[in-house]
Amino acid sequence: MVCPYVLVKLGMSKLTPQQQHAETFLRPSQGPQRVQIGKGTTFLPGKKDPSVAHLIDHVLEHGYVILPNIFTEAQVSAAKKELARLEALESSGPASQGGRNRFEGFETKRIYALVDKSRVYDCFAIHDTVMKLNDYFLQPNFLMTSFHTVNIGPGSKAQEIHTDDGLIALPRPRPLMGIGTMVSFDDFTAENGATSLIPGSHLWDDDRRPTREEMIPAVMPAGSMAYFLNTLWHSGGANTSQKPRRSITIQYCQPWLRTFENFTISMGWEDLDQVPKRLMQLMGFSTHDFMGYVDGKSPRAGVEMRKKRLIEWALKEKEKERQSKL
Ligand SMILES: O=C(O)CCC(=O)C(=O)O
């Protein structure tokens, strides 16, 4: 059987003797290892951990893979309880009571800046299997770009069909910029708005446009994950059931890309020590080579520098106020 996806090694012109000169600083990403899948996606394959090789092959062929029950009942139950607490608070953000546009979904509640609001969701962002899959599809030091709950209420219409790299104006085949994931807190069904996706659409060129008829629902039990390349066409589904479809989406991106959510600011700096180290790195408190530095040091060191300056400033302001009252 002919495999529907083809890993094509993209040719790189051989280096001239001058380029091979010791003075030339070539990074691994400038080497000849980039591959193309179909007409839609190119990427630099990373380490293929044998324990996830079958999952990688599924993603290469279909653009996504379902990871059933990768989270425990306890994790899912804590996530739902915390969601009820957060959604009851007005301070939970501008889309926590309903979306502000068709894309967010008027009947869909989203809680952004989750890293700042709760520690219950940390475990969903750093699952070992997901890290291993990302190690293959993304470059080392990949980041988290998006991390928020998605609660599609009864009566919600289907979301607009999109790819998560749609903001990036590059033609297909284009470099893989990131990975999308949806984690189900409720069973995802065709009726309650399971994420809809078009298998194989990561292989398409720009001339092919998606249609609703080509979509399939990512049906999966609560505690599962749909993992997909962000060149894959997908959308939230319509919820025709009587109950909400609760979930969290976590997206990851290449280490050299601007992230959707600016996690280094959305997280309160006073609480940074409570965040797992791996998550901190994913949030951008890290560097990629020297990309992301603060005054030549790590962003974490930069935060301490800013905190010190803020404290000094606050003390001076307090002293000024005291003096003015004398
Ligand atoms: O809610 C879903 O199933 C998908 C959400 C999504 O793709 C998005 O908001 O970008």
Side-chain angles (χ1 to χ4, degrees):
M1 194 185 97
V2 180
C3 202
Y5 69 88
V6 186
L7 280 182
V8 182
K9 271 210 170 186
L10 295 179
M12 284 268 299
S13 56
K14 287 224 169 69
L15 297 180
T16 64
Q18 282 88 346
Q19 285 169 319
Q20 287 169 356
H21 189 268
E23 293 292 315
T24 310
F25 183 17
L26 278 181
R27 292 191 163 78
S29 57
Q30 291 166 298
Q33 310 90 332
R34 180 167 288 274
V35 297
Q36 181 174 329
I37 38 177
K39 297 173 184 168
T41 314
T42 72
F43 71 104
L44 281 166
K47 186 173 149 241
K48 194 171 188 177
D49 190 291
S51 68
V52 295
H54 60 297
L55 303 175
I56 288 173
D57 289 344
H58 194 283
V59 177
L60 286 169
E61 184 169 347
H62 303 286
Y64 76 99
V65 68
I66 305 284
L67 309 173
N69 301 110
I70 62 165
F71 297 106
T72 65
E73 275 182 31
Q75 286 171 321
V76 172
S77 152
K80 287 196 283 198
K81 198 167 156 211
E82 185 71 338
L83 188 60
R85 181 185 76 79
L86 290 169
E87 285 182 350
L89 299 173
E90 274 194 27
S91 56
S92 286
S96 63
Q97 305 308 311
R100 297 158 293 179
N101 49 53
R102 236 188 102 195
F103 189 83
E104 279 185 333
F106 296 111
E107 314 295 330
T108 298
K109 299 174 182 171
R110 293 173 191 252
I111 298 182
Y112 299 108
L114 265 190
V115 280
D116 193 46
K117 295 171 183 156
S118 176
R119 296 272 61 81
V120 169
Y121 300 100
D122 292 351
C123 60
F124 295 99
I126 50 178
H127 194 284
D128 193 46
T129 302
V130 178
M131 296 299 102
K132 283 179 180 156
L133 289 170
N134 287 354
D135 281 341
Y136 181 74
F137 287 108
L138 299 176
Q139 287 174 237
N141 308 317
F142 59 82
L143 297 168
M144 185 165 75
T145 176
S146 185
F147 183 51
H148 61 87
T149 55
V150 188
N151 180 352
I152 300 188
S156 275
K157 294 197 172 61
Q159 192 188 28
E160 291 146 316
I161 309 171
H162 61 280
T163 61
D164 288 329
D165 63 355
L167 278 176
I168 299 162
L170 283 177
R172 287 183 179 228
R174 68 173 159 251
L176 183 67
M177 306 290 173
I179 292 294
T181 75
M182 291 300 307
V183 176
S184 51
F185 293 158
D186 295 299
D187 293 346
F188 269 26
T189 68
E191 291 73 40
N192 75 359
T195 307
S196 294
L197 42 86
I198 306 183
S201 56
H202 64 307
L203 306 172
W204 297 359
D205 61 20
D206 279 329
D207 292 337
R208 186 149 171 200
R209 290 288 175 237
T211 62
R212 204 47 83 187
E213 292 65 44
E214 294 166 289
M215 305 195 93
I216 58 155
V219 172
M220 56 188 182
S224 306
M225 173 185 276
Y227 176 102
F228 48 96
L229 302 181
N230 75 3
T231 44
L232 192 80
W233 290 98
H234 68 279
S235 79
N239 186 349
T240 57
S241 79
Q242 302 303 309
K243 291 188 178 158
R245 189 225 70 180
R246 291 164 293 183
S247 65
I248 188 170
T249 180
I250 310 133
Q251 294 181 27
Y252 306 87
C253 70
Q254 298 289 14
W256 33 261
L257 207 63
R258 180 167 192 181
T259 57
F260 282 122
E261 182 157 349
N262 192 336
F263 293 107
T264 53
I265 299 179
S266 54
M267 174 80 205
W269 290 346
E270 67 283 12
D271 294 331
L272 283 182
D273 290 336
Q274 295 170 26
V275 181
K277 247 190 159 160
R278 186 69 178 104
L279 186 54
M280 287 277 287
Q281 184 273 325
L282 291 171
M283 287 164 64
F285 291 99
S286 54
T287 51
H288 174 54
D289 206 323
F290 61 82
M291 213 175 255
Y293 67 80
V294 178
D295 197 11
K297 290 185 279 191
S298 76
R300 187 71 183 85
V303 166
E304 292 312 312
M305 189 168 80
R306 292 271 84 84
K307 267 166 59 179
K308 194 163 166 275
R309 285 262 289 276
L310 273 175
I311 291 166
E312 284 164 7
W313 171 81
L315 289 174
K316 264 191 217 149
E317 289 296 302
K318 211 170 166 199
E319 179 57 19
K320 262 198 255 168
E321 199 185 310
R322 197 183 68 80
Q323 294 282 352
S324 72
K325 283 184 186 154
L326 288 180

